[in-house]
Amino acid sequence: MSNGTIKKVAGPLVIAEGMRNANMFDVVRVSKQRLIGEIIEIHGDQASIQVYEETSGLGPGEPVESTGQPLSVELGPGLIGSIFDGIQRPLVDIMEATGTNLKRGVEIPSLNREKKWHFVPSVSVGTEVEAGDIIGTVNETDIVVQKIMVPVGMKGRITSITEGDYTVVDTVAILEKDDNTTENLTLMQKWPVRQGRPYKQKLSPDKPMVTGQRVIDTLFPIAKGGVAAIPGPFGSGKTVVQHQLAKWAEADIVVYIGCGERGNEMTDVLNEFPELKDPKTGKSLMERTVLIANTSDMPVAAREASIYVGITIAEYFRDMGYSVALMADSTSRWAEALREMSGRLEEMPGEEGYPAYLASRLAQFYERAGRVISLGKDGREGALSAIGAVSPPGGDISEPVSQATLRIVKVFWGLDANLAYRRHFPAINWLTSYSLYDMGKWFNSNVNSKWNDMKARIMKLLNDEAELDEIVKLVGMDALSAPDRLKLEAARSIREDYLHQDAFHEDDTYTSLEKQYYMMELVLQFYDISLENLANLSIDDLVKLPVRERIGRFKYIKNNKIKQEYEEVLMQLKTEINNLVQKEDA
């Protein structure tokens, strides 16, 4: 414990003297109001503290008290469905205690100490356990079973364990260590946020996280345990894409971090998520979601903490063997907070005033994602996929945050303002986006052996269209040959019928991989059969075939009718082409 006094206040930065016994990253209580802060720099007995609450009214001479502990999160029952601020304070509990105007310095535990949870043991007295072993379960919501694990660094024999209703701080089991000392195990454990939670082994990212969004699954898939960035200008649909992924992606748990975004955007999330139905269970989406709300009008210093708090909670659920999707919206606001703190610390600035360590901080965050074998004897597999939105000023991704992020992540979903203005959603630009995860083998063996070839053909048609568009702009459509005009028509069909997806249509909002395959097959069949008969038929007749309307509407077919509809449309396509050929011959 170290006590000092305030020497200087500069916005969220407080410099305190007399802190000789303090350590880096210790949590401190600043002034008589006991504002929470964290030591980020030490020179002699002077400590630089970033304060996570509003510092107006503080002055020199006020007390500063170090807790001697790093910034940590409480992990246990009560996380799911909760709304926390950037330093894991429960916003609903604070509002109930202080009213709608949140007061500074409020000390309320992150997890409710009164609520009782029913604990069911999964081991018996005398069982030898090690770190990560599951000793019992708590049904946190109708969807999520929280597995109570032996904390990291502990090993021994269970001498007492009882089923019953407990609060998060009650002892549920007693562990006798090898040195004959005992440890009381509770439903809750603490973990420092800046330190990644350990695991046994990291696995290669060779399974896709299926999202049901066609442009993502087909062209730019993300692996389970992968990392992706969604850069895009204002209004291009970053938040909607993240909402769609939260709702439909193959993840058991969603951790959504509103990091420095506008208050109204976070309000939308808070209003929408409880009303959204989880498609897998029919329950509220909040029953498998943790929300961290740290909006742009909250103190900037807490943005960095919110990112670390979110990923630590996500790692905790990953360790239970769940697949977790983490949405960070947006990492640009976090970088702006780093820039402000760096400026106040008078550090040497890097490009555009951002700190020189910006790229390494981003890398530390993203590298905590992955598909892993968790600690514990059962060898369970968990995955943490991190998806970060980036908000470059004016949509210019040449700025430092976007560039640093692109050097780290393997998937880039570049949102395009032009597509958004044309009402093409998701507005992911197929010419600039990419995925470095090679999922072709998985799709070929699990969906259809032709998947990879079809994906390559679709990308080639879209790239050819971009080149032909330049020619059309210069000399007009009439200058193109019939095969090139057919190519443009096929590419238009891919764009409008396949890549365009309506998030608000019950059958189009999510597309299974089987349906995606049949949709691709129909578009390419139209192109192939038309190309074969192009020598005998007019391109204008082919473009006006009635079957094209059915191909375009295939996305709205219900999942249980897709095979039948596919065969009918294919038969109609062949019949109409044959009729045209016979008409020409006659």
Side-chain angles (χ1 to χ4, degrees), residues 304-324:
E304 182 178 21
S306 70
I307 289 282
Y308 288 122
V309 164
I311 200 155
T312 306
I313 292 171
E315 284 177 329
Y316 174 61
F317 284 106
R318 175 207 70 190
D319 291 346
M320 292 180 200
Y322 287 123
S323 172
V324 187

Side-chain angles (χ1 to χ4, degrees), residues 220-463:
F220 314 111
I222 177 173
K224 255 193 185 169
V227 288
I230 317 180
F234 176 76
S236 58
K238 291 188 294 294
T239 306
V240 175
V241 170
Q242 289 203 319
H243 284 202
Q244 282 293 92
L245 294 176
K247 188 175 179 184
W248 293 106
E250 238 178 12
D252 306 308
I253 310 285
V254 175
V255 179
Y256 193 98
I257 308 167
C259 173
E261 281 302 296
R262 297 163 194 80
N264 60 339
E265 282 196 15
M266 202 65 217
T267 308
D268 283 348
V269 173
L270 299 181
N271 287 335
E272 281 175 24
F273 270 40
E275 289 176 14
L276 286 177
K277 288 281 179 284
D278 179 7
K280 300 177 190 76
T281 60
K283 308 277 185 187
S284 164
L285 196 60
M286 279 302 286
E287 293 202 12
R288 62 180 180 93
T289 304
V290 182
L291 288 177
I292 294 166
N294 194 73
T295 55
S296 51
D297 58 346
M298 292 177 172
V300 291
R303 291 179 190 173
E304 182 178 21
S306 70
I307 289 282
Y308 288 122
V309 164
I311 200 155
T312 306
I313 292 171
E315 284 177 329
Y316 174 61
F317 284 106
R318 175 207 70 190
D319 291 346
M320 292 180 200
Y322 287 123
S323 172
V324 187
L326 176 101
M327 313 287 166
D329 189 12
S330 89
T331 53
S332 296
R333 309 279 176 256
W334 165 32
E336 285 161 12
L338 285 179
R339 177 166 62 183
E340 177 167 340
M341 291 309 297
S342 174
R344 291 188 186 280
L345 288 167
E346 297 174 4
E347 294 172 339
M348 181 70 77
E351 196 181 348
E352 289 190 26
Y354 287 103
Y357 48 78
L358 170 68
S360 66
R361 287 285 173 88
L362 286 167
Q364 281 166 13
F365 165 68
Y366 282 112
E367 74 179 4
R368 287 170 72 171
R371 193 163 67 91
V372 304
I373 301 289
S374 303
L375 295 179
K377 292 198 276 285
D378 61 355
R380 60 189 175 275
E381 184 185 303
L384 166 50
S385 312
I387 296 151
V390 186
S391 312
D396 175 19
I397 63 163
S398 64
E399 55 87 47
V401 183
S402 301
Q403 288 304 308
T405 305
L406 292 186
R407 284 197 291 274
I408 300 157
V409 302
K410 296 284 184 68
V411 179
F412 167 61
W413 296 321
L415 294 175
D416 190 326
N418 291 330
L419 285 174
Y421 293 146
R422 285 176 3 216
R423 292 289 173 264
H424 178 107
F425 291 108
I428 294 173
N429 188 318
W430 46 86
L431 299 175
T432 57
S433 303
Y434 59 80
S435 170
L436 300 180
Y437 293 116
D438 184 13
M439 296 288 142
K441 194 183 287 184
W442 188 94
F443 281 110
N444 277 359
S445 55
N446 288 276
V447 187
N448 191 285
S449 57
K450 295 196 289 186
W451 181 283
N452 230 21
D453 294 338
M454 290 165 76
K455 170 191 167 177
R457 289 191 62 201
I458 277 178
M459 278 308 294
K460 176 143 188 6
L461 281 168
L462 291 169
N463 283 313

Side-chain angles (χ1 to χ4, degrees), residues 56-197:
S56 56
L58 298 192
E62 293 198 56
V64 175
E65 178 192 313
S66 169
T67 62
Q69 299 287 326
L71 183 64
S72 302
V73 286
E74 294 183 349
L75 302 168
L79 288 171
I80 298 288
S82 294
I83 302 160
F84 299 105
D85 73 355
I87 45 178
Q88 211 207 2
R89 293 182 304 181
L91 290 173
V92 175
D93 292 358
I94 293 176
M95 185 186 75
E96 286 170 359
T98 66
T100 48
N101 291 328
L102 305 187
K103 292 185 173 64
R104 297 188 290 175
V106 177
E107 294 185 50
I108 286 183
S110 302
L111 297 180
N112 191 320
R113 298 294 194 259
E114 266 77 63
K115 184 167 182 181
K116 294 207 166 186
W117 302 91
H118 188 71
F119 171 73
V120 180
S122 53
V123 297
S124 53
V125 171
T127 307
E128 295 284 338
V129 293
E130 60 183 54
D133 279 349
I134 295 165
I135 59 167
T137 57
V138 167
N139 280 1
E140 190 167 5
T141 67
D142 290 344
I143 302 173
V144 178
V145 175
Q146 181 137 174
K147 298 163 188 175
I148 308 303
M149 298 174 286
V150 176
V152 174
M154 290 190 194
K155 184 181 180 186
R157 190 171 64 88
I158 298 288
T159 57
S160 164
I161 188 164
T162 317
E163 181 173 350
D165 295 331
Y166 300 95
T167 67
V168 289
V169 290
D170 290 342
T171 299
V172 297
I174 296 173
L175 179 75
E176 188 182 282
K177 296 185 183 172
D178 296 342
D179 59 3
N180 291 331
T181 59
T182 60
E183 193 80 42
N184 291 345
L185 301 183
T186 64
L187 297 180
M188 179 185 84
Q189 48 180 279
K190 287 192 171 185
W191 190 262
V193 297
R194 291 177 183 274
Q195 185 182 335
R197 284 177 63 86

